[in-house]
């Protein structure tokens, strides 16, 4: 059991804190937002994340506590994880001021209190050399160089599957130099790397993985780059398949068949090859900008990333063009929209392509009836559609009611299970424009709907069965 604190109670911080407690450690989750801390102490779960309520319930007040005092939490901890926000600045570079503020405070606490050796671990996604910056700021604020080490331990969790991504990782990356620091971090993850956690009967998830988690030790700078490069590569995969989908439409090929054929090459793999309305969320758009800025300052003009972003932006315009050709003029049309979140399984609407597309539609004079299983509250309270012609529906069928067309903008699993005949009956005109390819064209057309999707011809081809779709 290691005594630790996690600074930041956002997505990464809260999930990490809950999962570290699940691994048997003694954790304090710290945030300077005392309102949020109070709510967490009372039992609120501020984010929509599978298994998080169970974990918080299991450990709150026992191995997991919440605090708004950084000083006392740091003092009592051997390991301090920094998981505060790293928003982009105007120039696209990462704004490191929150991290710097934490480093300053941790340094000052360590200067006045001889509470022993500590490891400071950077968990947020940050440019290479941030670890060096943290070390410098801590020393400038009085922490003695011998009393601490700084490491990078990037987090690869996805929203919606954050808890299982954390507990069943493809790999754990530790960027650290000193043997004492490396050993401490190895110990923290030992229940996952030994596989012991997966043998527990109360373990979260769906049974033991084929192999225990793999731990990779690198330099801090390499760890920081691994995170940037991984996210950029995944975003590139999505833009690549979206570009191929556009070509499929042009030549009359079927993206499902092409995707299956490409993904069967184990060097490529079939995951993250789903075409759609483009990637969004709080990570990819921001991280790619940040990686470009990192490359620039390292003397490399990473134009490939510029193209990844351009293709992604283009997806919205391509989707609008599809709509125009399906509906002709958009002005005055009433549209049902399924999905507001940036992807299925989350209530997060940050950088959501669904929200961006709705805003384009509103500009064109459409009225929108939207439904999302989790993101309606955030859409309402954030004011993204304030004073606009957007209403929120109680379910998917209500959103379709009397609409000129129904649009799917987020890949919620439950949308794929909708009763198409019932949707057809609700709609004024039988048009389904699916920006996420959730259905097989044959099943949609069989229910009497006109189906427009991504990278597939409108009239279904006589295609071979595609397993898994
Ligand atoms: C991502 C990374 O996956 C994760 O490792 C990192 O820690 C944070 O950023 P997240 O933003 O939660 O996670 O979502 P992810 O599941 O990666 O999806 C990102 C976006 O890409 C979503 O808008 C999603 O709809 C889109 N996407 C994903 C596609 O359009 N096609 C795909 O095949 C996969």
């Amino acid at each position: 059991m290691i005594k630790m604190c996690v600074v930041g109670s956002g997505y990464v911080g809260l999930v990490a804190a809950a999962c570290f407690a699940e691994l048997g450690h003694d954790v304090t989750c710290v945030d300077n937002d005392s309102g949020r801390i109070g709510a967490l102490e009372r039992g609120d779960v501020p984010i929509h994340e599978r298994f998080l309520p169970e974990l918080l319930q299991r450990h709150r007040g026992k191995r997991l506590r919440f605090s708004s005092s950084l000083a006392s939490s740091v003092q009592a901890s051997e390991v301090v994880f920094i998981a505060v926000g790293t928003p982009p600045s105007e120039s696209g570079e990462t704004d490191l001021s929150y991290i710097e503020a934490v480093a300053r405070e941790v340094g000052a606490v360590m200067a006045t209190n001889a509470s022993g050796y500590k490891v400071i671990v950077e968990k947020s996604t940050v440019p290479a050399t941030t670890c060096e910056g943290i070390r410098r700021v801590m020393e400038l604020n009085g922490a003695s160089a011998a009393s601490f080490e700084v490491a990078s331990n990037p987090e690869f969790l996805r929203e919606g599957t954050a808890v299982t991504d954390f507990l069943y990782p493809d790999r754990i990356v530790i960027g650290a130099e000193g043997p004492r620091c490396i050993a401490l971090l190895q110990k923290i993850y030992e229940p996952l790397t030994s596989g012991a956690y997966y043998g527990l009967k109360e373990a979260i998830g769906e049974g033991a993985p084929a192999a225990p988690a793999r731990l990779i030790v690198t330099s801090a700078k390499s760890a920081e780059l691994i995170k940037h490069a991984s996210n950029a590569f995944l975003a590139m995969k999505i833009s690549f398949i979206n570009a191929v989908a556009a070509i499929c439409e042009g030549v009359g090929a079927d993206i499902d068949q092409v995707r299956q054929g490409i993904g069967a090459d184990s060097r490529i793999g079939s995951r993250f090859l789903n075409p759609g309305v483009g990637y969004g969320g709080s990570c990819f758009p921001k991280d790619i900008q940040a990686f470009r800025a990192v490359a620039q300052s390292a003397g490399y003009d990473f134009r490939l990333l510029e193209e990844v972003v351009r293709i992604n932006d283009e997806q919205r315009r391509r989707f609008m063009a599809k709509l125009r050709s399906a509906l002709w003029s958009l002005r005055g049309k009433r549209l049902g929209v399924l999905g507001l979140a940036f992807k299925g399984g989350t209530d997060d609407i940050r950088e959501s392509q669904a929200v961006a597309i709705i805003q384009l539609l509103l500009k064109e004079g459409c009225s929108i009836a939207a439904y999302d299983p989790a993101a309606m509250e955030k859409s309402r309270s954030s004011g993204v559609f304030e004073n606009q012609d957007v209403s929120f529906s109680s379910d998917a069928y209500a959103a379709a009611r009397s609409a000129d067309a129904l649009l799917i903008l987020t890949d919620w699993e439950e949308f794929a299970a909708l009763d198409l005949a019932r949707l057809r009956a609700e709609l004024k005109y039988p048009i389904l424009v699916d920006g996420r390819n959730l259905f097989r064209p044959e099943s949609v057309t069989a229910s009497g709907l006109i189906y427009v999707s991504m990278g597939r011809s409108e009239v279904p081809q006589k295609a071979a069965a595609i397993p898994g779709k």
Side-chain angles (χ1 to χ4, degrees):
M1 188 267 288
I2 290 177
K3 275 179 92 78
M4 59 169 77
C5 65
V6 178
V7 185
S9 67
Y11 238 103
V12 171
L14 187 57
V15 170
C19 290
F20 283 137
E22 172 74 359
L23 297 185
H25 303 300
D26 185 78
V27 188
T28 306
C29 184
V30 191
D31 204 298
N32 56 11
D33 179 344
S34 50
R36 191 169 169 97
I37 289 299
L40 284 163
E41 276 174 331
R42 283 193 302 277
D44 281 11
V45 185
I47 51 178
H48 178 90
E49 197 60 57
R50 193 158 177 238
F51 299 124
L52 188 60
E54 288 93 316
L55 285 188
L56 293 179
Q57 170 80 24
R58 205 178 268 185
H59 302 299
R60 187 188 298 112
K62 295 171 208 144
R63 289 206 293 260
L64 176 61
R65 283 169 306 278
F66 298 97
S67 168
S68 46
S69 165
L70 182 70
S72 59
S73 309
V74 167
Q75 236 165 289
S77 300
E78 196 175 354
V79 181
V80 178
F81 283 93
I82 305 181
V84 294
T86 47
S89 64
E90 288 284 299
S91 60
E93 284 172 39
T94 309
D95 173 359
L96 294 171
S97 57
Y98 297 111
I99 293 196
E100 189 185 333
V102 173
R104 218 182 297 133
E105 219 179 318
V106 175
V109 171
M110 291 186 63
T112 52
N113 286 283
S115 50
Y117 169 84
K118 293 188 198 305
V119 168
I120 316 303
V121 193
E122 177 45 66
K123 227 179 194 338
S124 317
T125 302
V126 289
T129 70
T130 303
C131 275
E132 265 175 33
I134 293 175
R135 185 179 305 122
R136 214 174 37 240
V137 169
M138 286 183 57
E139 283 182 26
L140 279 174
N141 283 277
S144 83
S147 67
F148 72 94
E149 283 180 79
V150 182
S152 166
N153 170 218
E155 191 42 69
F156 299 98
L157 53 81
R158 291 162 300 169
E159 292 186 18
T161 52
V163 169
T164 45
D165 283 347
F166 191 102
L167 295 171
Y168 297 77
D170 285 344
R171 79 303 208 187
I172 296 159
V173 175
I174 289 176
E177 320 288 337
R180 185 173 178 187
C181 169
I182 293 171
L184 202 51
L185 284 162
Q186 280 172 330
K187 198 163 162 210
I188 289 176
Y189 287 105
E190 203 267 337
L192 302 181
T193 52
S194 68
Y197 177 72
Y198 308 117
L200 300 176
K201 75 172 185 316
E202 66 277 14
I204 292 284
E206 285 118 31
R214 179 168 170 214
L215 189 132
I216 301 170
V217 179
T218 68
S219 70
K221 284 181 190 168
S222 298
E224 287 161 339
L225 267 192
I226 287 170
K227 172 69 196 202
H228 270 313
S230 301
N231 271 358
F233 194 89
L234 291 169
M236 181 182 76
K237 240 181 144 178
I238 298 169
S239 280
F240 185 86
I241 204 67
N242 281 332
V244 174
I247 299 167
C248 283
E249 286 171 21
V251 303
D254 181 328
I255 190 64
D256 284 337
Q257 296 174 355
V258 173
R259 197 169 70 91
Q260 196 196 1
I262 303 173
D265 185 327
S266 60
R267 291 170 303 174
I268 298 173
S270 57
R271 294 173 70 192
F272 270 69
L273 275 184
N274 298 317
V277 287
Y279 61 78
S282 64
C283 288
F284 283 174
K286 169 181 83 118
D287 288 356
I288 286 161
Q289 291 290 64
F291 196 25
R292 277 181 64 195
V294 167
Q296 207 79 46
S297 62
Y300 185 78
D301 186 10
F302 207 158
R303 270 188 271 176
L304 175 63
L305 296 186
E306 222 168 282
E307 195 53 23
V308 168
V309 175
R310 193 195 63 76
I311 294 170
N312 200 53
D313 290 342
E314 187 65 27
Q315 275 317 94
R316 281 193 298 275
R317 284 188 286 277
R318 289 179 43 73
F319 186 81
M320 291 295 286
K322 268 177 193 297
L323 264 185
R324 266 192 213 96
S325 81
L327 296 174
W328 197 17
S329 120
L330 293 176
R331 182 154 305 280
K333 294 278 158 70
R334 179 193 152 84
L335 302 175
V337 169
L338 300 185
L340 294 161
F342 80 97
K343 65 171 190 178
T346 174
D347 62 347
D348 197 339
I349 55 165
R350 286 177 289 176
E351 300 285 325
S352 164
Q353 295 289 356
V355 171
I357 288 171
I358 293 173
Q359 274 157 346
L360 290 175
L361 292 168
L362 291 166
K363 268 200 198 122
E364 297 270 350
C366 299
S367 72
I368 306 292
Y371 170 70
D372 188 287
M376 295 206 285
E377 191 40 51
K378 284 213 169 131
S379 305
R380 237 186 242 121
S381 60
S382 65
V384 273
F385 304 127
E386 200 149 87
N387 300 325
Q388 307 258 33
D389 199 350
V390 176
S391 63
F392 297 100
S393 304
S394 52
D395 60 32
Y397 302 103
R401 198 155 301 150
S402 309
D404 290 294
L406 185 65
L407 281 43
I408 298 179
L409 300 181
T410 305
D411 53 348
W412 276 98
E413 262 175 40
E414 59 194 88
F415 292 162
L418 287 169
D419 178 342
L420 292 167
R422 196 171 152 203
L423 285 177
R424 160 82 186 84
E426 295 284 3
L427 282 161
K428 182 166 159 202
Y429 293 104
I431 303 172
L432 179 60
V433 186
D434 181 358
R436 297 289 194 160
N437 285 7
L438 297 187
F439 294 98
R440 284 168 165 277
E442 312 83 271
S443 58
V444 183
T445 43
S447 64
L449 285 159
I450 297 166
Y451 188 47
V452 180
S453 56
M454 314 299 286
R456 308 188 286 198
S457 3
E458 265 173 60
V459 182
Q461 300 169 329
K462 281 263 165 275
I466 299 162
K469 267 302 274 190

